Amino acid sequence: MSNGAVTINENNFYQQSTNKYSGILSWLLTTDHKRIGLMYGMGIIVFFLVGVIIGVLMRLELIAPGKTLMDAQTYNSLFTLHGVIMIFLFIIPGLPAIFGNFFLPIQIGARDVAFPRLNLLSFYLYVIGALLALLAVVIPGGAIDTGWTFYIPYSVRSNTNISLPLLAAFILGFSSILTGLNFITTTHRLRAPGMSFFKMPLFVWATYATAWVQIIATPVIGITIVLVILERLFGVGIFDPALGGDPILFQHLFWIYSHPAVYIMILPAMGVVSEIIPTFSRRTIFGYKAIAMSSLAIAFVGYLVWAHHMFTSGMSDTSRWIFSLLTFIVALPSGVKIFNWVATMYKGSIDPKPPFLWVMAFIFLFSIGGLTGLVLGSLATDIHVHDTYFVVAHFHFVMFGGTGTIFFAALHYWFPKIFGKMYSDKLARIGVAGFFVGFLMLYFPKFIMGYMGMPRRYYDYLPQFASLQLVSTIGSWILSTTIFFIVGYLIYAFFKGPKAKTNPWGGVTLEWHIPSPPPMENFASIPTITHEPYDFSQLKEMKNE
């Protein structure tokens, strides 16, 4: 098949597996990047749904002032568990581990990742870390109650099971590092002939930038976790002030990783947006190189802004204005991306299919999250809204409104390619509308409550916040119901959906040139790239199966 973009010998496609195992072992011991991505997907979606259920239980407790469902200790454990699951088991690994694993090799014309066995090891490290985190809930001692940030002195003085979730986070960090190593090596060494760096799809660029953050930033949190465990087990005075330690040092070390981790979460999402918008606008992406370079700029500057989480910790005024300035600077490459996305849609032949609608929801929600982040990055306003519901709202608009929304966008965009089945367009539109309404009802009232002074992480609240808390809780019902509805119709489509075409959306990147679902080794003969990225002039020559 030759379409002017790539040259592939269509007759050489084959579906048979070269795996020497059969049955369940063919999955558990596979080194196929696509199967590993699917196993990640099953685990991550299950943990995500568990996190959703915990979030709904928390909102039910907050439906009215006073105790409704649980006591304060249980509430503290639930919001900690909710944070650990959603951050470490869903948002950080979600897009890179599932869609990066599945599509990065295909999009660069490779048969697999550079280190297939290491890829499988990273999956099992994820599983072990996840199970250890959940095991801490059921073993004697009680579920962790420090919040997902494990702040000192809580995490060295709490009598609950702290060391086990810390060990889990340490192992999950190794999984993240190995995945990053694999993606960087794959991108450098396994690109198809003719595919220079500036012919790579923008999802590959975003995943590549993310991988550098995973490798460089993650060891810092690993070292920090080991130090906390040593302090708990042996009384070494590193962070605990009672032992001569410095709790502010822990905050620095934690956020030196955890703010770059925000970009581990959001950069792949931005890459997905850069794939979906040109496909459904039928236009070459506007400012391809600017978007590619902005991914690297976000990754680089993201290392330098960690202390904007600590403006009220007592650091020097000089440090505060420097970190405030850097925070505003890191917003610039994100603004470049949004400008280029909108410019791509300008005068395009827009086809508003469900993946495109998810992206529209993302741009709206993420823009609110980004702009309110500048409120928190400004010294004067941060003093007033620090540690209030305003921060909770901002965080969820960026993380869930950003990464979470694009997780669903990617799922709807690549579902036909991954499974070879098509879901209901009507149900998908209902899903994105319900998600958007439920999300705004759940999280936007928190901006108002935070501005009014409602502290975050509180088990109870004053009656003046009751009406807004009620609206927020009703929003959680709509949002959670919609999420289960979406998962439901996608599962139905997997079993009963009509067969999908090879290229149902009219995409032009390499994954849309091969059968659905992709063959065992993607390409029988490695394609030769002869076109510029997102060249829709060649679309008419592509044949749907």
Side-chain angles (χ1 to χ4, degrees):
M1 175 172 61
S2 176
N3 59 15
V6 293
T7 302
I8 300 175
N9 187 351
E10 195 175 47
N11 296 323
N12 286 337
F13 275 123
Y14 57 93
Q15 291 283 11
Q16 71 269 25
S17 172
T18 58
N19 197 327
K20 61 183 178 181
Y21 301 101
S22 60
I24 189 67
L25 286 180
S26 69
W27 283 85
L28 296 179
L29 300 177
T30 185
T31 54
D32 179 12
H33 67 100
K34 298 181 294 298
R35 287 195 169 194
I36 292 171
L38 289 174
M39 290 194 295
Y40 264 118
M42 287 184 283
I44 286 170
I45 289 173
V46 167
F47 289 125
F48 169 63
L49 295 178
V50 171
V52 168
I53 293 169
I54 293 173
V56 172
L57 292 175
M58 290 162 56
R59 286 309 321 167
L60 285 172
E61 170 55 41
L62 295 171
I63 193 171
K67 179 180 177 180
T68 54
L69 282 181
M70 61 192 79
D71 57 27
Q73 179 63 29
T74 303
Y75 180 82
N76 287 346
S77 296
L78 280 182
F79 84 66
T80 301
L81 192 60
H82 172 77
V84 169
I85 289 174
M86 289 302 203
I87 297 296
F88 294 109
L89 302 184
F90 170 58
I91 292 183
I92 288 179
L95 288 168
I98 301 173
F99 302 104
N101 257 316
F102 202 103
F103 287 108
L104 184 143
I106 299 175
Q107 287 193 330
I108 64 173
R111 289 198 171 105
D112 208 321
V113 293
F115 307 114
R117 290 183 179 86
L118 207 62
N119 200 20
L120 183 63
L121 175 61
S122 69
F123 167 72
Y124 280 113
L125 288 175
Y126 171 82
V127 172
I128 292 169
L131 292 178
L132 285 177
L134 297 181
L135 182 63
V137 178
V138 296
I139 64 174
I144 184 173
D145 61 353
T146 62
W148 72 274
T149 54
F150 307 116
Y151 263 16
I152 303 292
Y154 308 129
S155 56
V156 293
R157 297 184 184 176
S158 173
N159 293 321
T160 57
N161 291 315
I162 305 293
S163 296
L164 203 56
L166 286 172
L167 179 61
F170 182 79
I171 294 171
L172 290 168
F174 267 100
S175 173
S176 184
I177 291 170
L178 294 181
T179 300
L181 281 169
N182 229 335
F183 287 170
I184 287 174
T185 309
T186 303
T187 304
H188 276 278
R189 304 294 296 172
L190 298 183
R191 299 193 311 277
M195 180 171 282
S196 64
F197 260 84
F198 287 110
K199 286 185 179 179
M200 296 193 309
L202 287 166
F203 178 68
V204 177
W205 268 106
T207 309
Y208 174 75
T210 302
W212 279 111
V213 182
Q214 289 174 288
I215 290 175
I216 297 173
T218 308
V220 178
I221 194 67
I223 293 167
T224 307
I225 286 170
V226 169
L227 292 176
V228 174
I229 293 174
L230 288 175
E231 189 149 3
R232 282 187 63 84
L233 295 180
F234 303 111
V236 181
I238 302 168
F239 303 125
D240 189 350
L243 299 173
D246 183 3
I248 302 299
L249 175 61
F250 175 86
Q251 291 191 36
H252 279 291
L253 291 173
F254 180 86
W255 289 114
I256 284 172
Y257 162 75
S258 294
H259 196 82
V262 170
Y263 304 113
I264 296 176
M265 305 173 206
I266 202 64
L267 275 173
M270 291 174 165
V272 174
V273 174
S274 299
E275 296 294 319
I276 292 176
I277 285 181
T279 297
F280 292 97
S281 299
R282 292 295 182 270
R283 284 199 62 199
T284 301
I285 192 82
F286 181 86
Y288 167 87
K289 288 187 178 180
I291 293 179
M293 290 296 98
S294 67
S295 294
L296 295 180
I298 289 172
F300 176 74
V301 182
Y303 290 112
L304 309 176
V305 299
W306 76 87
H308 68 208
H309 296 271
M310 302 167 55
F311 283 158
T312 62
S313 67
M315 68 170 66
S316 72
D317 288 342
T318 303
S319 296
R320 293 201 298 171
W321 75 254
I322 289 174
F323 281 107
S324 179
L325 175 63
L326 290 169
T327 301
F328 278 77
I329 290 173
V330 81
L332 296 178
S334 299
V336 167
K337 288 181 181 291
I338 291 178
F339 174 82
N340 287 357
W341 293 333
V342 175
T344 301
M345 291 184 277
Y346 180 64
K347 292 188 177 180
S349 300
I350 293 175
D351 184 12
K353 288 290 198 303
F356 184 81
L357 296 177
W358 279 105
V359 167
M360 294 301 98
F362 160 83
I363 290 177
F364 182 84
L365 299 175
F366 181 73
S367 295
I368 293 176
L371 291 171
T372 53
L374 297 180
V375 174
L376 295 168
S378 175
L379 294 175
T381 47
D382 181 76
I383 296 298
H384 294 283
V385 296
H386 190 82
D387 264 344
T388 68
Y389 264 38
F390 192 96
V391 177
V392 177
H394 157 74
F395 184 80
H396 283 85
F397 265 83
V398 172
M399 292 296 92
F400 196 27
T403 308
T405 303
I406 294 303
F407 181 85
F408 287 108
L411 206 54
H412 285 77
Y413 181 58
W414 280 311
F415 186 92
K417 178 55 59 179
I418 294 173
F419 300 110
K421 297 291 185 71
M422 183 56 76
Y423 50 82
S424 166
D425 183 85
K426 182 178 179 181
L427 294 181
R429 292 174 187 273
I430 294 171
V432 67
F435 182 96
F436 187 72
V437 171
F439 186 96
L440 287 175
M441 282 188 66
L442 171 55
Y443 295 114
F444 197 82
K446 294 178 187 288
F447 281 125
I448 303 170
M449 286 187 277
Y451 183 77
M452 293 168 62
M454 172 71 200
R456 65 174 174 170
R457 296 182 171 179
Y458 270 39
Y459 162 75
D460 203 358
Y461 53 87
L462 297 173
Q464 71 192 72
F465 301 109
S467 58
L468 289 170
Q469 291 279 15
L470 177 60
V471 171
S472 188
T473 299
I474 294 172
S476 74
W477 301 341
I478 297 172
L479 182 61
S480 58
T481 302
T482 302
I483 288 170
F484 280 96
F485 170 73
I486 292 167
V487 172
Y489 71 66
L490 290 177
I491 292 174
Y492 179 84
F494 173 75
F495 289 104
K496 300 290 187 178
K499 185 181 179 187
K501 295 179 179 179
T502 298
N503 190 7
W505 312 127
V508 293
T509 44
L510 279 179
E511 73 269 27
W512 303 112
H513 294 69
I514 62 177
S516 303
M520 177 65 186
E521 291 191 349
N522 307 332
F523 309 96
S525 56
I526 298 299
T528 300
I529 309 302
T530 59
H531 71 300
E532 294 301 315
Y534 308 102
D535 182 4
F536 284 88
S537 65
Q538 306 296 333
L539 187 60
K540 60 184 178 182
E541 299 180 34
M542 295 177 65
K543 295 180 180 180
N544 287 340
E545 293 191 350

